[in-house]
Amino acid sequence: MGSSEEARDASVRLPQMKLDELLEELQARLDAARGTRDRVHSLLEAVLLVGRDLQLEQALRTIVEAAASLVDAEYAALGVIGPDGRSLSAFYTVGVGGEQIARIGRYPEGHGILGELIRHPEPLRLPKLSEHPASYGFPVHHPPMSTFLGVPIRVHGHVFGNLYLTEKRGGLRFDEDDESVLSTLAVAAGVAIDNARLYEESRLRERWLAANAEIAQSLMSGAEQSDVLELIAERSQEITAAALGMVAMPVRGTDSLTVELAIGKEAEVMRGMVLPVRGTLVGEAFAQGVPVSSPDVSRDERISAGPRRFEGLGPAVTVPIGSGEGVRGVVLLAREAGGAAFSDRETESLQVFAAQAAVAMELADRRRDAEQIAVLEDRDRIARDLHDLAIQRLFATAMTLQSAGKLIDHDKARQRVLRAVNDLDETIKIIRSTIFGLRSRGDEAVSGLRTRVVGAVGDAVAVLGFAPSVRMAGLLDTHVPGRIADHLLAVVSEALANVARHARADRVDVLLETDGREVCLTVSDNGVGCAPGGRRSGLRNMEERARRCGGELELGTREGGGTRLVWRAPIGNGEGQGREEGTPA
């Protein structure tokens, strides 16, 4: 009886035990499903999160933070592979504080386990880091790490970087699910990085276009070249985040470049420096008309001799302004030592910017040339009208008065008519001198003999105390050679200085004229005159200059009192122009 009851109880307990096991298994599967659901939700949230950031720097930080959260890792890092494809150019971390990073030292460059993932871009899961053949330990002050999970991030099929995760919380190991989730996040990260890159490129393109528009506007509004060069250097430096920006321009008539503008670090050392084209970094870009880069400009052999320059600077790039034979100058940009090298994309954008700036400069030059031509044509028309109308009428009037003077019996009236004729003759000479000036070329007017003499006379006003009278006649800018013009300019300055020192005059007349055969300078004053037998070093200098030019100096008394100095030199047909002392005939 007892045995049958026990058997019956056992048969009842057996199904109950199986049911409990089934319920426990079901609960476990429900928990697993719930966990999977939660993890999928977390993954989706992470994917949405990393896709929101359009700033590349922030997107990378968000990716590494999301990776650490998804697989419950204590430490996480994202390493960006450099242009060489073998090392890390940037490193973003989670779990390691700033002070600890400072104690550890510089970020890893891609050796050991990190380098293993660079060389073999496939997911890598390790229960213990130290057991892998590529592992060779950690630097001092580095936190201990054991478990490891790494996956590559690809952008358009190319490996952009790697996600590294260590120390799964709770002392657990990373499993297949962790690897699967992290690989999925890496795919989303690749899309987010690509979007951030595209956004960054569009923003950069907008900034370059805005800079080009600003330069074109400045040029077309008539801004000085120095202001435009400063604008080019400033905008290039700002957009590329360079520590130094400078612009070098060719020195006319020489095989060298001068640094017109320099902004930023080492700018004071570079500004105004003259650099040879041959054998220098900027010269190479100027001569070849293509960008030239340097990994470390402070140690580059193409930096010419002289004081040490580019201290504290590293990667640099030089880009020509223009192309081919139309290169107008060179832009040099340099970043801080240890900074990122200029990428091909950055160099290309900078080259386009410099080329467009060159086009704008060329258009501005053409516009100024057109304006100058219009001015010269207008001056020529005025000169022609003065010659054909004004001079002819004045000449006819003078002839009429001269003829009428012969018929006048009253002596005083006749003398007044003759004086009027003389005044008309002087007026005709003045108008002719004006015509010669109007017909001079624009660039000669800037640096020609006429302008230089006017400048020298203007400089003497301060010491004289009054403005001398100046009259010039003939094609001075065209006919007077440069060597004689230089002597003439020195004589004008010396003569006016002598008047200021010795003459005690209140009037000085300066006459400079040429008939195409010789040039003659006359300086006369109404002062006390030159003492008999007096000899001054200034006069000796002027006489020596005349002798060198094959001419002569005459010093006499001005009609009505004062001194009259005449300095003349032959210029016609290259004869009698004299030669410098010691120069062979």
Side-chain angles (χ1 to χ4, degrees), residues 207-270:
R207 295 182 69 184
W208 283 121
L209 289 174
N212 273 124
E214 189 178 3
I215 290 169
Q217 183 179 2
S218 298
L219 284 167
M220 295 308 173
S221 63
E224 294 293 329
Q225 177 174 283
S226 59
D227 296 333
V228 176
L229 295 180
E230 184 174 5
L231 198 57
I232 291 173
E234 284 180 351
R235 296 297 174 265
S236 300
Q237 183 194 21
E238 289 172 5
I239 296 174
T240 60
L244 169 69
M246 76 179 204
V247 179
M249 302 293 287
V251 181
R252 183 175 298 178
T254 68
D255 192 24
S256 60
L257 299 163
T258 181
V259 180
E260 296 281 353
L261 255 302
I263 301 171
K265 193 169 186 177
E266 292 289 291
E268 291 298 326
V269 179
M270 295 302 305

Side-chain angles (χ1 to χ4, degrees), residues 257-327:
L257 299 163
T258 181
V259 180
E260 296 281 353
L261 255 302
I263 301 171
K265 193 169 186 177
E266 292 289 291
E268 291 298 326
V269 179
M270 295 302 305
R271 195 175 295 122
M273 184 163 288
V274 177
L275 306 170
V277 171
R278 186 183 298 275
T280 61
L281 190 64
V282 292
E284 189 174 332
F286 179 80
Q288 297 181 7
V290 296
V292 179
S293 61
S294 171
D296 188 352
V297 70
S298 65
R299 294 180 173 83
D300 200 301
E301 295 180 354
R302 292 167 293 184
I303 302 304
S304 60
R308 287 189 61 81
R309 304 186 295 280
F310 300 111
E311 289 290 333
L313 297 173
V317 63
T318 53
V319 176
I321 303 175
S323 59
E325 296 181 358
V327 175

Side-chain angles (χ1 to χ4, degrees), residues 27-51:
Q27 184 63 44
R29 292 192 178 187
L30 287 173
D31 292 341
R34 189 178 295 112
T36 302
R37 181 199 63 187
D38 293 342
R39 200 162 203 188
V40 169
H41 280 228
S42 299
L43 178 60
L44 290 174
E45 288 177 1
V47 169
L48 292 174
L49 185 63
V50 300

Side-chain angles (χ1 to χ4, degrees), residues 24-73:
E24 288 177 3
E25 184 180 350
L26 179 59
Q27 184 63 44
R29 292 192 178 187
L30 287 173
D31 292 341
R34 189 178 295 112
T36 302
R37 181 199 63 187
D38 293 342
R39 200 162 203 188
V40 169
H41 280 228
S42 299
L43 178 60
L44 290 174
E45 288 177 1
V47 169
L48 292 174
L49 185 63
V50 300
R52 287 175 186 169
D53 293 311
L54 289 176
Q55 298 290 340
L56 183 59
E57 188 88 3
Q58 186 56 43
L60 296 176
R61 296 189 183 281
T62 302
I63 290 168
V64 70
E65 290 170 0
S69 176
L70 276 175
V71 298
D72 204 19

Side-chain angles (χ1 to χ4, degrees), residues 434-455:
T434 302
I435 291 171
F436 290 140
L438 287 170
R439 285 178 172 171
S440 298
R441 290 174 50 191
D443 55 348
E444 290 171 344
V446 174
S447 58
L449 180 57
R450 288 173 176 272
T451 303
R452 295 169 69 191
V453 169
V454 170

